[in-house]
Amino acid sequence: MIPDPASAAASELNRSSSQDEAKSSGAVNNSEDESGNENRHKRGPQRRRKRPLKEAENVASKKTKSRRSGDRKDVRRRKCRHAEAVTLFDVITMGPSAMRVVIEGWTEAYAADRDASLLDLISFFIQCCGCKGVVTAEMCDTKGDSDAMDKLVDELVEDLDEVASLQYKKFLAFPWILTVTWPTDADSLDYPLIQPGPYGRWFHTELCDFVSVLVRQCQHSLLFDNFLVNTLISLLSELSDSHVRAFRHTCTLAAVKLLSSLVDVALNLSTSVEESQKLQQVQRPSRQKAQGERAQQKMKELLEKRAEIESMMDAIFKAVFLKRYRDVLPEIRSICVEELGLWIRLYSSVFLKDTYLKYMDWMSYDKIPDVRLRCILGLQTLYGDPLLLPQLDLFTSRFKDRMISMTLDKDNEVALQTMKLLLLISKTCEDALSSDDYEALLQLVYSSQRPLAAAAGELLFLRILSADDPAANSQEGIIQGESHQRKTLRRLKALLDFYHNSKLHNHVVYLVDSLWDCSGALLKDWPTITSLLLQDLSPGTGFTREEELALVEIVLASVRQASEGPALAGRNGAKKMMSSREKKVQVDDCAKLTQHFLWELSNLMTKFSGRWDIVASLMRIPQYFLPESPEALNTQDGILSADEVQTEDILVTLKKLRAFHNCHDLSGWNLFDLLSPLLPVEGSQEELPPQVLKEVLQCLCYCVFWSLSKSGETLTSRDKAVSQRLQLRVLSEASHRCLSHPDHSVRQQAFLGVCDILTAHSSQRQAWHPTSCGPLPYTPTPKLQMALLHFVCKNVFVGPDCDHDSKACLSSEEEKMEKLHKRRIMLAAYCKLILHGVLEMSTASDIFTFYVKHHNDLGDIIKETIHRCRLLDKLESTRALVLSLQQLFVRLKREQEGAGSAHVHLGVQTFAGIKELARRFALTFGDPVKYRECLVLIHRSGIEFVFRDFAGSSLAFLPYLIILAEFSGKLLKPDKRTVLAYLQKHVPNLKEVQRQPLLLYRGSLLAEGDDDASHGRSNAAKNKPERSPSPTDPRIENRSNKMTRTPDPVVSRPPTQLNATTSDGDEDDEAAVEVEL
C-alpha cells in the first residue's frame, strides 16, 4: 500500500519493516473486493477480508503494514488524525500538491522495496485503463538463457477464454511476466480517458501531470538505475499494442508523455553541459588542472546520462510511436502527431531531422480533420521559432504543395490554420512561395468562409499592399500630407491591379470584407480616396476609367462594411454579436462617413455625371448614413435625380420602390416628378436600359393610380386637377413613344400601363359628381388610339406561324400558355377602353373581325365584349358588327382584285370565314323581338352597302348579300316584308334581276304563305333561263343549307315560337348559343 501523506510517521514504520527483494511469484488483485491494489474511485473505510496463507512477500509486507496501522488505531482516534490507505490511482483526485508529496513517498518506498513499489506503479497504469480484472505477476528467471527467452516470448499472447468468459493478456514487464485477466462482458469503451463531460478532460490532464511529476522526481537518481524506466517502457509498449482500445489509448498517452518528460530531462542535461563548458573556459590557469579533471568527469557523466536518456526516447519512439501513429483510433493518432511536434520544437538537435519530419508530412494526409489540424498546429510552432527556420528549408520545399492544397480542405478550421501557417512562412521565408503559389492563395479572399478569407486578406495586405515603394522612400522634403496621399495612391493602384487581374471573381464587397481586419485604415480613409477621385491626375499616375469604377465600388463596399458590419450573404463564420467596443467603433465610423459624404457626394456626382455606372454606385451611399442626421434625410430626396441610370443596383431599387408603391401610397415622396425625367423624350438618342425603363413605367402608373384613387382628398382646387391631368398626359405620351420601343417587354408594359390609367381615369370621371371638383376629362389623341389598335392587332391576334417576336417554335406547353395568358391580358385591357367609353365603340369592329379566327383562344373575351357593348348601346354595337363584316369583305375584294382569287393573303379571311363570322354574330341575337331594331339595321346597312353604286351598274359587292342572308332567320315576318320592300326600292326590277346572290337573299326574306313570294316563284319558274337557277332550285337550296344552317335546333325555332318568346326566352336562347359554341 502507498501511505497517505497525512500519516508520514506510519509510513516510516512500514518502510522499516519491508523485506529484501522478492524472488518468488506474487499476485496483485485489481478487483473491487481486494484491498491491496484495488481500483478505488471513492475513498472510504472498507471491510477487509482474509487473504490466503500462501502469498508473495510483497503482499505479506503490505499485510504487516496494515496490522501495524491497526495497532495504532486507538491512538489515531484519540488524536483525531485518521490516516487512510490509498493507491496511486487515488492520488489523481488529490491535486498537484498532494501528487508531489505522494510521489516523493513512492520514490522513498522504491528505494526500500523496489518490487512492491513497481507493482503499485504497474497497478496504477492498469487502473487508469479502467480495467477491473486481476493482474498476476510472475518472476522472470530466464535472464541468461536466450532459448528460454525466445520460448517465453512465444507464449506471451492476448486471447479469449470463451468457456470461462474471460479475456486475458500475458506480457513481459521485466523482471515480471504480467497476466491481466478481465471479464469479457466488461465495457471496454467506458474507461476514464474518454468519459464525457469535464471528467474526461480533467483525467487526461491529471494523468499527464502524474507522468511528468514522476519523471521530474526521479531524474537525478532512479531514472538511471536501468530498472524503473525499462520496466515502464516494457509495460507501456506492451499495453499500447493491445487489441483492447482502453489499454491502447491510455498507455499510448502515458508513453508519449513519458517521452516528453524525458525530453525535458535531456534539455536540463544539455543546459548543465553548456554551463560546465562555460565554467571551464573562465577558470584560472592555476586551478585549471585540478578542477579540470573534476569538470571533465562531471561533463562525462552528464553526457552519459544524456545519451542514456536519448536511448530511452529512441526506445519509446520505436516501440510506441512507430506503431501507434497510424492506429485505427483517430484520438491515438492525434496524440502522436501532437507530441511529435512538441519533441521537434523542444529537442531539435535530435528530432529536427527528415527522419522525424516525414511523419508530419504523412500525417497531413489523414482522413480525420482533427489529426490534420494537430499536424498543422505543430508546424506553426516550428515555423514560429526563428532558430529552427534554416533547418526547415528542405521540408518546406517538399511539403509546400501539400500545404497549399490544404487551404481548400473540407474542414474549415484545417483550411484556416493552414492559411495561417502559409502566412507565417511568407513572413519568415521570403523565397519559400513562388508567384504562382501566391496567385492561388490570394484568390481565397473571395472564399465563403470569412475567417479563411480574412487570413487570405492579411496575406494580400502583406504581399502587395504593405510593400514599400523605393522611389517614394528616396524622395526627401515631401510634405507629410503629400507623402500620405502618394502612399495611399500606390496602395490603391496595387489593390485595383489585383482586383482586375483576378478574373475569376468580381465581388468587391467580399474583397473589402476580407481586407477589413488588416487594412481597415486604408479602406476607411475616405477623404484621401475622395480627393484622389476628384483630382485630374496625369495619365501615367491617375486612374483609368475601369479603375475609377472599381474604386467607387470599393468606396461603396467600405461604407457598407462600416455601417452594417461583416454580415454578408453567402459568407459564413462572421461574429453574430458585436462587443460594446465594436459597436462604438461602428457608430463613430458611420458618423465620419455621413459627415464626409454629405459634402463630397455632390462633387463626385457632378464630376461623374456622364458615367451611369459610377453614378449608380454613388447614389447608394446615402442609404448608409446615420438616420439621426437631418442632412442625411434631406439627401434622400435627390437620390433619383440623375440623367442616366443603367445598372442592376438601380433596377433593384426601382423594383423595391414599385413593390412598396403597389401597396402603399407614396405620394408624399413626389416620385412622379423624380421619375418622369427618366422617360424617353422624342428625338433623344439616349435611352434607359429596357429593364429600368419598364420599372420606371410601372412606378409612374402606380403614382397616377394613387392620385386618381385619392382624388377626393387631394383635388381641393382646379390647379391640382389640372396638375393631375398633366401627369396623365405626360405618361400617355411617353407610353405612346414606348409602343415602338425595340424591347417587347417595354412595349407590353407601356400598352398595359396606358390602358389601365385611361380606364381608371374614365371610371373616376363616371363616379364623380358633376358639381364637385373632380378629375378633369382627358381624351387620348387620335394617334395614340391608332397606335393602341395597331399594337393589339399586331401583338394579340397572331398565329403560330406569324409570330414576329419568336420565329422558332415554343419549346414547351408552359411557354405557350404563358404567351397566351399575356395576349389575353392585353386584349382585355383594350376592350375595357371601349366599354368605359375611352374609345369609340366603332373601334371594336377591328376586334370583332377576329372572333372566328381566334375563337378557341380569345373568343370568350370578344363575345363578352359584344355582350357588354350591346348592353351599353344596342344600335351602336350593331353598327360595329356590320362594320367588321364590311371591312373583311372589302379587304377580301381588294386582295382578289390585286393578286387573283387563287392567292389569298394570310392576313385576309376567306369568304367562307366571313360567312361563318356572320352566322356567329347572328347567334348572339337571342330574342328577335328584343333586338328587332338591330336586326333591321343590319339588313338596311347591308342593302345600302351593296347597292350604293347600283345606278352605275356596278354590282361588285353583290356577293355580300349571301353574308347578309345569315341574319334573315332572326327577322320577324313584318320585318322581312319591310326589308324586302326596302330591297325592292333600291332594285326596282328586283324580279327581273337573275343574279344568284340576289336570288338567295330575296328567298331568305320571303316568308311562307306570302302571296308575293308565290308570285315571285311562279314568275321565276316561267322565265327561268337555261343556266340561271332560281332561289328555290334544289341545288341552290342544298348549297345554301350547307352554308347557312346551324346545328342547334333551339336557334332555328318556328316563327310562332319566336313571336311568343318573352325575356325569359332570350336567356334560354343565349344559353343555347353557349352550348352550340
Side-chain angles (χ1 to χ4, degrees):
M1 280 294 187
I2 302 301
D4 192 281
S7 57
S11 178
E12 293 294 336
L13 294 174
N14 294 337
R15 286 196 298 273
S16 64
S17 63
S18 61
Q19 299 179 359
D20 297 336
E21 181 178 353
K23 295 183 180 180
S24 60
S25 63
V28 181
N29 193 341
N30 283 314
S31 63
E32 294 182 356
D33 296 334
E34 295 294 330
S35 60
N37 286 294
E38 60 186 353
N39 184 5
R40 263 184 278 173
H41 297 277
K42 295 182 180 180
R43 297 190 301 167
Q46 295 183 359
R47 175 178 296 180
R48 302 177 181 269
R49 70 180 183 179
K50 295 183 180 180
R51 296 178 179 272
L53 295 177
K54 296 180 181 180
E55 290 182 333
E57 294 183 7
N58 58 344
V59 180
S61 175
K62 294 182 180 181
K63 187 173 182 180
T64 303
K65 298 177 184 178
S66 300
R67 287 200 302 269
R68 296 196 178 189
S69 298
D71 295 339
R72 295 177 176 81
K73 187 180 296 183
D74 296 335
V75 179
R76 294 194 193 96
R77 289 178 179 175
R78 287 195 301 268
K79 296 182 180 180
C80 297
R81 295 176 62 186
H82 174 69
E84 181 183 0
V86 294
T87 64
L88 288 175
F89 184 78
D90 297 327
V91 176
I92 294 182
T93 62
M94 298 180 181
S97 59
M99 188 183 299
R100 286 192 296 270
V101 174
V102 173
I103 291 178
E104 288 177 1
W106 181 87
T107 56
E108 296 176 2
Y110 179 83
D113 190 354
R114 185 178 62 183
D115 293 343
S117 300
L118 276 178
L119 288 175
D120 287 342
L121 187 60
I122 291 172
S123 178
F124 164 76
F125 284 109
I126 293 177
Q127 288 176 339
C128 289
C129 297
C131 179
K132 300 178 182 180
V134 178
V135 180
T136 304
E138 300 177 3
M139 291 299 297
C140 179
D141 54 357
T142 59
K143 185 175 182 180
D145 191 352
S146 59
D147 296 336
M149 181 63 70
D150 295 338
K151 182 179 180 180
L152 178 62
V153 172
D154 295 337
E155 295 177 355
L156 302 180
V157 294
E158 181 176 353
D159 203 351
L160 174 65
D161 188 357
E162 298 181 357
V163 178
S165 298
L166 294 175
Q167 189 173 0
Y168 64 91
K169 178 177 178 61
K170 188 176 182 180
F171 59 95
L172 176 65
F174 192 83
W176 294 288
I177 299 175
L178 301 179
T179 303
V180 184
T181 307
W182 66 97
T184 56
D185 56 351
D187 189 4
S188 62
L189 299 179
D190 188 15
Y191 54 97
L193 202 57
I194 62 168
Q195 289 293 322
Y199 177 77
R201 296 189 297 270
W202 169 82
F203 184 83
H204 181 280
T205 304
E206 295 298 326
L207 178 59
C208 297
D209 292 342
F210 180 86
V211 176
S212 300
V213 173
L214 178 63
V215 174
R216 194 180 306 116
Q217 294 293 335
C218 302
Q219 64 179 336
H220 300 293
S221 59
L222 302 181
L223 202 62
F224 303 98
D225 65 348
N226 295 327
F227 192 83
L228 174 62
V229 177
N230 292 339
T231 304
L232 286 178
I233 293 175
S234 300
L235 173 69
L236 297 177
S237 61
E238 289 293 338
L239 290 179
S240 64
D241 198 24
S242 174
H243 295 294
V244 181
R245 172 179 176 178
F247 288 151
R248 200 168 68 253
H249 188 187
T250 307
C251 293
T252 300
L253 174 62
V256 296
K257 286 299 180 182
L258 176 60
L259 197 153
S260 300
S261 301
L262 293 177
V263 166
D264 294 334
V265 176
L267 290 174
N268 294 334
L269 293 174
S270 299
T271 303
S272 300
V273 171
E274 293 176 0
E275 291 177 355
S276 299
Q277 292 176 352
K278 293 179 181 179
L279 185 60
Q280 288 182 1
Q281 295 175 0
V282 298
Q283 285 180 352
R284 297 179 182 180
S286 59
R287 298 180 180 180
Q288 186 173 5
K289 183 177 181 180
Q291 295 180 356
E293 294 179 358
R294 293 193 298 269
Q296 288 292 339
Q297 184 65 25
K298 182 180 179 181
M299 184 176 296
K300 182 179 179 181
E301 293 176 357
L302 292 175
L303 291 176
E304 290 177 355
K305 288 183 178 181
R306 188 174 67 177
E308 187 176 355
I309 293 296
E310 291 179 357
S311 65
M312 295 177 187
M313 293 188 297
D314 185 65
I316 297 175
F317 185 85
K318 292 179 179 179
V320 178
F321 182 87
L322 291 183
K323 297 180 180 179
R324 301 276 69 82
Y325 84 94
R326 50 186 178 180
D327 193 276
V328 68
L329 192 64
E331 289 83 355
I332 296 178
R333 301 199 301 271
S334 299
I335 292 172
C336 292
V337 70
E338 183 179 9
E339 294 300 319
L340 178 60
L342 180 65
W343 304 335
I344 297 174
R345 180 175 62 86
L346 294 179
Y347 205 43
S348 58
S349 61
V350 174
F351 291 100
L352 189 55
K353 299 176 182 178
D354 294 339
T355 307
Y356 300 96
L357 285 173
K358 65 182 180 181
Y359 297 106
M360 301 293 289
D361 189 5
W362 294 348
M363 299 292 280
S364 65
Y365 290 92
D366 197 279
K367 63 181 180 180
I368 301 300
D370 184 68
V371 180
R372 301 194 300 270
L373 178 61
R374 293 180 185 273
C375 178
I376 295 299
L377 293 177
L379 290 175
Q380 288 181 3
T381 59
L382 298 181
Y383 283 96
D385 191 350
L387 300 177
L388 305 180
L389 292 178
Q391 305 178 51
L392 291 172
D393 293 338
L394 181 60
F395 176 78
T396 303
S397 61
R398 293 180 178 178
F399 187 59
K400 178 184 63 174
D401 296 336
R402 173 57 184 164
M403 285 190 289
I404 294 175
S405 64
M406 289 181 69
T407 56
L408 303 176
D409 196 280
K410 63 180 181 179
D411 186 80
N412 298 330
E413 187 63 22
V414 175
L416 172 61
Q417 296 302 328
T418 305
M419 178 57 69
K420 290 183 178 180
L421 174 60
L422 292 170
L423 178 62
L424 185 61
I425 295 174
S426 177
K427 291 180 180 179
T428 55
C429 307
E430 296 182 358
D431 300 333
L433 300 177
S434 62
S435 58
D436 295 337
D437 299 335
Y438 281 112
E439 183 179 357
L441 293 175
L442 294 181
Q443 291 296 326
L444 293 176
V445 295
Y446 301 104
S447 173
S448 60
Q449 296 296 324
R450 191 182 188 278
L452 178 61
E458 186 176 356
L459 180 63
L460 173 62
F461 180 79
L462 177 68
R463 178 69 180 175
I464 298 178
L465 303 183
S466 64
D468 296 332
D469 188 6
N473 296 332
S474 61
Q475 297 179 0
E476 298 180 357
I478 301 177
I479 304 176
Q480 183 178 1
E482 295 181 358
S483 176
H484 174 70
Q485 191 174 21
R486 291 186 180 183
K487 184 178 180 180
T488 304
L489 176 61
R490 178 182 56 80
R491 290 185 173 183
L492 291 176
K493 293 281 288 185
L495 180 60
L496 293 173
D497 291 340
F498 167 77
Y499 173 70
H500 287 296
N501 292 333
S502 57
K503 301 178 181 179
L504 297 178
H505 307 281
N506 292 319
H507 305 294
V508 179
V509 180
Y510 295 96
L511 176 62
V512 171
D513 182 48
S514 302
L515 293 171
W516 192 255
D517 296 338
C518 58
S519 59
L522 173 64
L523 297 175
K524 291 189 290 187
D525 192 4
W526 297 302
T528 305
I529 298 176
T530 304
S531 63
L532 291 174
L533 284 172
L534 293 175
Q535 290 179 6
D536 295 330
L537 301 176
S538 59
T541 59
F543 300 109
T544 62
R545 292 177 62 88
E546 293 78 8
E547 291 177 344
E548 288 177 345
L549 174 60
L551 185 56
V552 171
E553 293 178 353
I554 291 176
V555 171
L556 174 62
S558 64
V559 169
R560 189 215 67 82
Q561 187 84 7
S563 176
E564 296 182 353
L568 287 175
R571 174 163 283 186
N572 305 322
K575 294 174 59 177
K576 296 182 179 180
M577 298 295 295
M578 292 190 300
S579 61
S580 57
R581 180 177 177 274
E582 292 174 343
K583 291 181 180 179
K584 184 178 182 302
V585 172
Q586 183 180 6
V587 173
D588 295 341
D589 292 340
C590 288
K592 292 179 182 179
L593 69 91
T594 302
Q595 184 178 4
H596 171 72
F597 284 103
L598 279 177
W599 298 100
E600 298 295 340
L601 188 59
S602 59
N603 298 330
L604 292 173
M605 297 276 287
T606 302
K607 180 178 180 180
F608 299 104
S609 59
R611 301 280 301 277
W612 61 264
D613 43 8
I614 295 181
V615 171
S617 299
L618 293 175
M619 287 193 301
R620 295 180 57 190
I621 293 180
Q623 64 179 319
Y624 302 110
F625 288 170
L626 278 179
E628 294 81 4
S629 176
E631 293 86 357
L633 294 177
N634 295 333
T635 309
Q636 299 289 340
D637 298 336
I639 292 179
L640 300 175
S641 59
D643 296 333
E644 298 178 358
V645 284
Q646 184 182 1
T647 181
E648 293 183 359
D649 300 327
I650 294 299
L651 181 61
V652 171
T653 303
L654 288 174
K655 287 182 178 180
K656 294 179 181 179
L657 188 62
R658 183 249 303 167
F660 278 108
H661 206 0
N662 187 22
C663 304
H664 302 281
D665 184 14
L666 305 180
S667 303
W669 293 11
N670 296 326
L671 291 178
F672 193 92
D673 297 336
L674 293 173
L675 295 175
S676 56
L678 302 178
L679 294 174
V681 182
E682 187 175 0
S684 177
Q685 300 295 331
E686 299 179 358
E687 293 184 356
L688 293 175
Q691 300 87 348
V692 178
L693 182 57
K694 177 183 175 182
E695 296 296 332
V696 169
L697 289 173
Q698 285 185 331
C699 291
L700 291 177
C701 288
Y702 289 146
C703 293
V704 176
F705 286 150
W706 281 105
S707 177
L708 292 173
S709 63
K710 298 290 184 178
S711 298
E713 302 175 3
T714 57
L715 299 183
T716 57
S717 62
R718 182 174 178 80
D719 295 338
K720 294 183 178 181
V722 172
S723 177
Q724 184 187 80
R725 186 172 63 175
L726 179 62
Q727 292 181 357
L728 188 62
R729 183 177 62 83
V730 170
L731 182 57
S732 300
E733 294 177 355
S735 300
H736 184 194
R737 288 188 290 270
C738 292
L739 288 177
S740 58
H741 195 275
D743 188 77
H744 178 70
S745 61
V746 175
R747 298 197 304 268
Q748 182 177 347
Q749 177 58 39
F751 175 80
L752 293 176
V754 71
C755 290
D756 291 342
I757 62 173
L758 291 177
T759 302
H761 178 265
S762 177
S763 300
Q764 290 291 328
R765 284 283 303 164
Q766 295 174 4
W768 212 259
H769 196 274
T771 59
S772 60
C773 182
L776 296 178
Y778 173 77
T779 303
T781 61
K783 292 184 178 181
L784 177 59
Q785 297 182 24
M786 292 300 298
L788 293 176
L789 178 60
H790 177 72
F791 182 86
V792 171
C793 296
K794 186 177 179 181
N795 295 273
V796 176
F797 300 106
V798 292
D801 298 333
C802 56
D803 190 355
H804 65 284
D805 289 327
S806 57
K807 296 182 180 180
C809 296
L810 298 176
S811 59
S812 62
E813 291 295 331
E814 290 77 7
E815 294 181 1
K816 293 180 180 179
M817 295 303 297
E818 182 66 22
K819 286 281 187 180
L820 177 59
H821 180 64
K822 293 180 180 180
R823 290 165 54 199
R824 290 175 61 87
I825 291 176
M826 290 187 289
L827 177 60
Y830 185 80
C831 292
K832 289 178 183 178
L833 294 178
I834 300 173
L835 298 177
H836 285 81
V838 178
L839 301 178
E840 296 291 338
M841 198 171 293
S842 59
T843 56
S845 59
D846 294 272
I847 304 298
F848 297 159
T849 56
F850 298 97
Y851 180 51
V852 174
K853 189 175 182 180
H854 296 273
H855 183 268
N856 293 332
D857 297 336
L858 308 172
D860 55 340
I861 300 178
I862 300 177
K863 181 179 179 180
E864 184 65 20
T865 304
I866 295 173
H867 177 67
R868 295 290 184 89
C869 291
R870 193 169 293 164
L871 294 178
L872 295 176
D873 192 339
K874 295 189 294 182
L875 297 180
E876 194 64 28
S877 64
T878 304
R879 292 189 180 93
L881 295 177
V882 172
L883 182 59
S884 63
L885 294 174
Q886 294 177 0
Q887 288 176 348
L888 290 176
F889 185 80
V890 172
R891 197 177 304 165
L892 177 61
K893 292 295 293 183
R894 292 177 180 175
E895 183 70 20
Q896 291 176 350
E897 292 174 359
S901 59
H903 302 282
V904 180
H905 193 269
L906 293 176
V908 179
Q909 299 187 27
T910 61
F911 185 82
I914 302 175
K915 190 173 181 296
E916 176 64 18
L917 179 62
R919 187 184 71 84
R920 295 291 183 94
F921 285 164
L923 292 176
T924 60
F925 295 95
D927 187 4
V929 178
K930 183 178 180 180
Y931 300 108
R932 184 176 181 181
E933 297 179 1
C934 300
L935 295 171
V936 173
L937 177 62
I938 292 174
H939 286 274
R940 294 185 61 180
S941 301
I943 293 172
E944 293 174 358
F945 173 73
V946 173
F947 298 104
R948 57 184 177 181
D949 198 15
F950 183 73
S953 299
S954 175
L955 299 178
F957 293 165
L958 192 62
Y960 183 77
L961 294 177
I962 301 176
I963 300 173
L964 192 60
E966 296 292 333
F967 297 92
S968 300
K970 291 291 183 177
L971 289 174
L972 301 179
K973 282 186 179 182
D975 295 336
K976 287 184 177 181
R977 298 189 185 97
T978 304
V979 172
L980 185 60
Y982 191 75
L983 176 63
Q984 191 172 1
K985 179 180 178 181
H986 284 77
V987 186
N989 52 350
L990 178 60
K991 298 179 182 179
E992 298 177 359
V993 178
Q994 299 298 323
R995 294 294 184 92
Q996 182 178 351
L998 183 60
L999 294 177
L1000 182 63
Y1001 179 64
R1002 180 172 174 272
S1004 66
L1005 295 177
L1006 293 176
E1008 295 182 359
D1010 197 320
D1011 296 335
D1012 188 16
S1014 303
H1015 178 72
R1017 282 195 299 269
S1018 61
N1019 292 337
K1022 293 180 181 180
N1023 302 324
K1024 180 175 64 175
E1026 183 178 356
R1027 294 186 180 181
S1028 298
S1030 65
T1032 57
D1033 189 275
R1035 291 174 297 175
I1036 299 179
E1037 185 177 358
N1038 293 337
R1039 188 181 305 133
S1040 176
N1041 291 336
K1042 290 182 182 180
M1043 300 175 64
T1044 61
R1045 66 182 179 183
T1046 60
D1048 192 353
V1050 181
V1051 178
S1052 303
R1053 287 178 290 187
T1056 56
Q1057 183 178 357
L1058 293 175
N1059 293 335
T1061 304
T1062 59
S1063 59
D1064 296 335
D1066 184 23
E1067 297 179 357
D1068 296 337
D1069 196 18
E1070 288 290 335
V1073 175
E1074 289 290 338
V1075 173
E1076 190 276 338
L1077 290 178

